[in-house]
Amino acid sequence: MTLAEILPYLLKGTWVTVEITLISIVLALLMAFLAGIARVSEHRLVRWIARGYVELFRGTSLLVQMFWIYYALPMLGVEMSAFTAGVLTLGLNIGAYGAEVVRGAILAVPKEQYEASIALNFTPLRRLWQIILPQAIPAMIPPFGNNAIELLKGTALVSLITLHDLTFSGQLLRNLTYQTADIFSLVLLLYFVIALFITGVVRLLERRLGVGLDRGGMAR
Amino acid sequence: MKFVWDWDYALEILPPLLKALVVTVEATVLGFLLALVVGLLLAVLRRAPLRLVRWPVVFFVEFVRSTPLLVQLYFLYFVLPDYGVSLPALVVGVVGLGLHYSAYTAEVYRSGLDGVPRGQWEAARALNLSAYRTYRDVVVPQAIPPIIPALGNYLISMFKDSPLLSAITVVEALQRAKILGSESFQYLEPFTVVGLLFLALSLLSAAGVRRVEHHLPKHGIPMK
């Protein structure tokens, strides 16, 4: 097969990879903010639960987690499709890394800002929403970008739980044609293109969100 | 299906899983050594005066860091035999892990090299040291200590990536668990035990890295 014949097959798999990446990123962001904010909570129990989640998902392998959720969890009566299992694992795993980013960025907001919002008698929720997060979010963007690339690379593992993604398409085509070098070069290149796209989006966000923010002279 | 956790089975599979974990650790340590050497080479080449040398290195690092390790492993495992190079799966796995992480360690070394004061380079030049001796005797000894924690973190990441070797038929801990599960149709225990083993080992190594960090000099190397 020529490359022009191979490409359409791979693009189908690419679409699945993109889908999984996007949905997992949403879930990962949600978990990152939930757990990251919980990590700096005033309640010890909330902090401990978040800490347990972060340590558990950062301490074990992504692939082991995926196999556990896909193959072992049904034995406990929880069954789900390979797609759900893949997205869930990726979201929870990268979310745990993201939680540390959120925590770090929140803790980096100057202490006076907390004190001022307490002095103004803001409710904790309003303090978080209007004072802390708007200042913390720009600092989260670059590390979130790295996490998104990690997530993209992690999506390749869903091929091992039978999902027909880009990597899986590459494998199938290889079994069919034995043009190993061509196919896997093309697969790698497609992943690289998606990664470049993510990097581009992150740069754009960085520029948009960084505007007009006074970071105590750090910016200049 | 009802919840059944079989303690006897979990204990029974512990010895074979621990044995397979040795393979996991071996692959990680060997791969990490490779990553340490190749990464340093890449970091130094990246500072070469020739653009023709620098540019491919930059591309390699970016490309390797933004594509999946799994596909890179497949690439090595399936493509090398086409060119007459047949290596055992474990060797391919170690090389794949090592090369993948060399792209990360290269960036760590880079930050270390950037941290060496300019004056040190200039002094080496004034003393008419060769490029090799400048790196060996002046720059690298000052660049390495501050980056040891970062390198240690990559060792832990690498350990957590080593289950991917199961995809190219290396029988490491995860693959062993999979085999055990398929023999008994009980997947819960093997995968849970493997997960816990990984958790224990990576928490242990994280504590180890923190310990090393603690013993490092705070500002550069101590002057004797």
Side-chain angles (χ1 to χ4, degrees), chain A residues 9 26 55 82 127 133 140 143 217:
Chain A
Y9 288 101
V26 173
E55 294 285 346
R127 189 190 315 158
L133 281 185
M140 297 176 197

Side-chain angles (χ1 to χ4, degrees), chain A residues 1 5-6 16 18 30 34 39 52 57 72 74 89-90 93 100 107 116 124 148 183-184 188 190 201 205 212:
Chain A
M1 280 167 92
E5 286 169 319
I6 292 172
V16 177
V18 169
L30 192 76
L34 260 178
R39 284 275 269 145
F57 277 90
T89 318
L90 283 165
N93 180 282
E100 290 299 278
L107 291 180
I183 291 167
F184 281 126
L188 285 172
L190 283 167
V201 171
L205 280 176

Side-chain angles (χ1 to χ4, degrees), chain A residues 58-59 61 68 76 97 153, chain B residues 3 74 104 160 163 185 192 202:
Chain A
R58 295 201 324 161
S61 270
W68 199 88
L76 298 176
Y97 287 91
K153 296 194 301 177
Chain B
F3 165 47
Y74 283 152
Y104 288 92
K160 286 182 291 183
F185 298 108
T192 307
S202 66

